[in-house]
């Protein structure tokens, strides 16, 4: 039976999976959600014998029901190949008592690759299925990692163009270098004078702009989104939760049916929402631990039921989590309201008007699957140091936020459920902060020397993604004001 997608803000909207992938965002500004969350129709014990790619198929076929088997398998094969530097695609390691699920073995060494390596193929397939004649223009706002992963996924993909906006002073030097050295005539990278939320708001405004849409259509273009609000990003992320659980099962580390915890370093709430979907599909999960940095708007929300973005925006050492509006939370709000689009639309209106909303006590009860936590900058650095000294295992700052939150959670709750910490970036992507934590004396060296030093002390080879930008020339140097974002897009398309 075909699974349809609804808007979180309007119960009257109903589209197919391929249309939801194509549109990214519903016309009313809502996010697409499946009308029901499907259950896995293969046992976890059977999935434990499957490769990552087969597992991906078993999960995705339940969501992308208007794709044929051949189409879906084609997308999966094109995405999860030698671009990844390990055969498992997502690797589980156990340096100490808990597991780390390393999601950074793709082309840009951050977890965004898990979804963005497949999204272009889903999108192109969806366009064909819906007789789209226009060229697809991907607009993306990034706090660092999405941008490069999207650029790398879409570069030179026929029938697509991609424009990435990033906060000029809000990403790491290596993140910036990765983006501005991007090859491909269909790519455009723009730094903005503003923070990530402003970039994201600017992009959302362009998506909602009917005039702009008409103008584009006249030129043979239409917008689509690669941001984590696209259902084509969310669904591929469910896969690695199913995969992680079934690997533990295959290793005999857990019994079938045994619940585990996942700790997820969270920004836009996409990654952890995928974990929630995995749970609802049948993966035995005890707690989903939502880890924030000092921008702890989600922690406060889980504690109080009040979401309030009216606060100082803090630049931290985990920039991909420096977010005050977690877009994907809207899907959770919709689900815990009993799939009530009207109720959700009301709360989102309040968010855009007052910057805050409060959920009802009934909705709050539905949040029992989650537990929020946050780590200060100091605690984040301490976690990096601790694991390095204790286990000679080095992780990045985002993963460190999760590790720190988990240490505190365990101490406080005495919960000894087996736990997987989601590791979202290679330490080589945030070398300076990582080295600052473990070897402060060397941390004033240039970036690439620091990477060499990190490689030496951790015994981990420098990833290809870093090696290849070491000497690469800058190909993008556009910077603009937030208000000029639409003009910048048109300038690129007209050129
Ligand atoms: C994007 C990102 C996150 C946050 O993921 P969300 O899905 O936005 O919650 C965490 N860590 C890294 C390294 C990221 O790139």
């Amino acid at each position: 039976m075909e699974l349809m997608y609804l808007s979180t803000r309007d119960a009257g909207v109903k589209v197919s999976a391929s249309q939801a992938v194509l549109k990214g965002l519903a016309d009313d500004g809502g996010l697409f959600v499946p009308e029901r969350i499907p259950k896995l129709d293969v046992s976890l014990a059977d999935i434990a014998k499957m490769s990552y790619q087969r597992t991906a198929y078993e999960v995705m076929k339940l969501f992308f029901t208007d794709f044929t088997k051949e189409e879906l398998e084609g997308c999966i094969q094109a995405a999860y190949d030698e671009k990844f530097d390990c055969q498992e695609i997502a690797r589980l390691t156990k340096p100490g008592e808990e597991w780390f699920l390393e999601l950074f073995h793709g082309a840009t060494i951050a977890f965004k690759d898990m979804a963005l390596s497949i999204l272009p193929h889903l999108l192109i397939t969806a366009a064909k299925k819906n007789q789209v004649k226009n060229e697809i223009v991907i607009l993306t706002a990034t706090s660092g990692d999405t941008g490069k992963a999207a650029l790398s996924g879409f570069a030179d993909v026929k029938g697509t163009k991609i424009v990435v906006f990033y906060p000029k002073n809000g990403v790491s030097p290596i993140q910036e270098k990765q983006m501005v050295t991007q090859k491909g005539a269909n790519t455009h990278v723009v730094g903005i004078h503003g923070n990530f939320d402003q970039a994201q708001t600017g992009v959302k405004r362009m998506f909602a702009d009917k005039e702009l849409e008409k103008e584009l259509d006249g030129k043979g273009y239409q917008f689509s989104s690669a941001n984590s609000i696209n259902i084509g990003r969310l669904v591929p992320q469910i896969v690695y939760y199913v995969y992680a659980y079934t690997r533990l099962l295959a290793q005999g580390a857990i019994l079938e049916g045994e619940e585990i915890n996942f700790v997820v370093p969270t920004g836009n709430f996409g990654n952890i929402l995928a974990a929630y979907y995995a749970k609802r599909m049948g993966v035995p999960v005890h707690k989903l631990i939502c880890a924030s940095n000092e921008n702890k708007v989600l922690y406060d929300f889980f504690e109080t039921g009040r979401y309030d973005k009216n606060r100082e925006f803090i630049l931290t050492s985990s920039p991909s989590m420096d977010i005050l509006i977690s877009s994907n939370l809207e899907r959770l709000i919709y689900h815990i309201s009993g799939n009530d689009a009207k109720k959700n639309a009301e709360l989102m209106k309040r968010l855009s008007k007052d910057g805050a909303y409060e959920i009802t006590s009934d909705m709050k009860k539905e949040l029992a699957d989650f537990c929020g936590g946050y780590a200060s900058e100091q605690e984040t650095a301490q976690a990096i140091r601790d694991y390095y000294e204790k286990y000679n295992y080095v992780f990045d700052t985002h993963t460190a936020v999760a590790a720190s939150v988990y240490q505190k959670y365990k101490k406080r709750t005495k919960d000894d459920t087996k736990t997987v910490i989601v590791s979202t970036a290679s330490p080589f992507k945030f070398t300076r902060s990582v080295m600052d934590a473990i070897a402060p004396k060397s941390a004033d060296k240039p970036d690439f020397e620091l990477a060499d030093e990190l490689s030496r002390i951790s015994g981990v080879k420098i990833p290809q993604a870093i090696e290849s930008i070491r000497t690469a020339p800058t190909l993008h140097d556009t910077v603009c004001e937030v208000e000029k974002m639409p003009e910048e897009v048109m300038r690129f398309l007209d050129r």
Side-chain angles (χ1 to χ4, degrees), residues 361-402:
S361 56
D362 281 346
M363 287 167 77
K364 198 154 183 261
K365 279 189 210 119
E366 298 295 315
L367 292 179
D369 292 329
F370 292 89
C371 176
Y374 73 99
S376 68
E377 286 292 274
Q378 207 180 356
E379 289 169 329
T380 304
Q382 185 66 45
I384 295 174
R385 212 154 35 237
D386 282 353
Y387 273 79
Y388 171 65
E389 283 168 6
K390 242 173 150 169
Y391 308 115
N392 196 31
Y393 183 66
V394 180
F395 45 55
D396 94 294
T397 45
H398 302 75
T399 310
V401 168

Side-chain angles (χ1 to χ4, degrees), residues 394-466:
V394 180
F395 45 55
D396 94 294
T397 45
H398 302 75
T399 310
V401 168
S404 171
V405 163
Y406 177 63
Q407 283 170 354
K408 291 192 283 181
Y409 167 86
K410 199 171 172 186
K411 213 174 200 173
R412 189 178 76 241
T413 60
K414 310 275 185 301
D415 176 12
D416 60 1
T417 305
K418 286 166 192 155
T419 295
V420 173
I421 295 173
V422 175
S423 179
T424 49
S426 158
F428 287 94
K429 197 151 189 173
F430 300 93
T431 321
R432 187 163 303 275
S433 303
V434 169
M435 289 299 285
D436 247 338
I438 53 184
K441 272 200 229 79
S442 57
D444 45 355
K445 289 186 183 150
D447 280 329
F448 287 101
E449 271 176 52
L450 268 188
D452 291 331
E453 181 93 1
L454 176 57
S455 175
R456 203 176 48 72
I457 66 169
S458 66
V460 178
K461 215 172 120 229
I462 298 184
Q464 186 51 35
I466 298 296

Side-chain angles (χ1 to χ4, degrees), residues 173-246:
I174 293 211
Q175 283 179 317
E176 183 170 35
K177 179 107 205 219
Q178 278 189 305
M179 288 192 277
V180 299
T181 56
Q182 179 65 47
K183 293 183 194 152
N186 68 332
T187 66
H188 190 45
V189 180
V190 184
I192 64 149
H193 290 131
N195 63 34
F196 169 69
D197 282 322
Q198 291 171 303
Q200 176 149 277
T201 305
V203 163
K204 279 188 177 170
R205 208 169 281 145
M206 281 189 266
F207 280 125
D209 187 338
K210 292 283 163 209
E211 292 287 308
L212 193 59
E213 186 180 327
K214 252 192 239 140
E215 193 182 341
L216 280 173
D217 191 52
K219 295 176 192 259
Y221 293 115
Q222 70 187 60
F223 283 146
S224 191
S225 152
N227 267 22
S228 69
I229 47 179
N230 193 311
I231 198 80
R233 287 270 306 269
L234 185 62
V235 171
Q237 293 180 351
I238 302 170
V239 174
Y240 47 76
Y241 289 103
V242 177
Y243 187 70
Y245 185 89
T246 52

